[in-house]
Amino acid sequence: MKSLELKLPPLLLLALALGLMYLLQGFYPLALLNNGVASFVGIICILMGCGLIIFAARQMRHHQATLDPIHPQNSTVLLSSGLFAKSRNPIYLGMVIILLGAAIMFADITAFLAVLLFVRYITRYQIEPEEACLIETFPTDFPRYCEQVRRWL
C-alpha cells in the first residue's frame, strides 16, 4: 500500500491518534489508572515527549537539516550526534511518549491500542520510506548509522 507512504504529516497522525483515544475512552476502562498518581505520570510523559520533540527539532534546525517529513529526499544533512546518537527518530519517539502519557490519563485499554496503531503506521508509512530515501542520499553513511543507532531507542 505505497499510496499511504509519506502522505500524512506526522503531527496530523498524532492529532488523529489523540482524537481516537478521546472518542474511544470509557469502552474498556482501567480502574488501576483512575487516580491522581496516574494522571501526574501521564502529564509528566506528555511534557517529556514535547520536550524531546522541541529539543530534536532545535538540533535539526541548528544543523540546517530538513524538518519536512513528507519530503525526506530533500535531506542534505545526516544527524548522528546529540539525541540522534541515541535514537534515529527522536521526534517520533517524543510523539509516542506523548501518546503514552495521554493513554495513561485516559485510563482505557483502547487508548493503549491507539498508541500501538500509531507506532505501526508511523513505522510502515513514514519511517521506512524516510529511511529508503536516506539510503539513496547517504549510501555509505546511513547504513553505518543504522548499525550503530536503533530506530526507536
Side-chain angles (χ1 to χ4, degrees):
M1 217 192 223
K2 287 189 176 273
S3 63
L4 293 175
E5 289 181 355
L6 303 172
K7 297 293 186 227
L8 299 175
L11 281 176
L12 174 63
L13 294 170
L14 175 65
L16 290 172
L18 288 168
L20 182 65
M21 288 178 175
Y22 177 77
L23 290 174
L24 295 177
Q25 70 179 328
F27 281 100
Y28 297 101
L30 294 168
L32 176 68
L33 296 179
N34 272 335
N35 61 54
V37 173
S39 292
F40 179 74
V41 169
I43 290 169
I44 295 299
C45 287
I46 291 170
L47 293 174
M48 285 175 50
C50 290
L52 186 59
I53 291 169
I54 291 167
F55 192 71
R58 279 187 160 167
Q59 186 178 351
M60 290 178 76
R61 275 232 158 86
H62 176 74
H63 292 282
Q64 298 177 336
T66 182
L67 278 165
D68 182 2
I70 304 300
H71 300 99
Q73 65 274 14
N74 296 340
S75 296
T76 57
V77 177
L78 179 64
L79 292 178
S80 59
S81 61
L83 288 175
F84 294 88
K86 302 293 181 197
S87 170
R88 294 197 312 253
N89 300 288
I91 292 177
Y92 299 140
L93 179 60
M95 291 178 179
V96 170
I97 293 170
I98 289 169
L99 290 174
L100 283 172
I104 291 168
M105 291 179 69
F106 284 128
D108 196 283
I109 291 174
T110 56
F112 288 96
L113 294 176
V115 176
L116 294 175
L117 182 63
F118 176 86
V119 168
R120 179 62 189 132
Y121 187 94
I122 207 85
T123 300
R124 169 60 187 92
Y125 296 107
Q126 189 65 42
I127 294 173
E128 290 175 1
E130 280 180 10
E131 289 180 345
C133 287
L134 291 172
I135 287 173
E136 287 180 22
T137 306
F138 307 101
T140 55
D141 292 338
F142 188 71
R144 195 172 332 131
Y145 173 62
C146 290
E147 289 175 6
Q148 297 169 350
V149 180
R150 296 174 64 143
R151 180 178 281 160
W152 288 100
L153 194 69

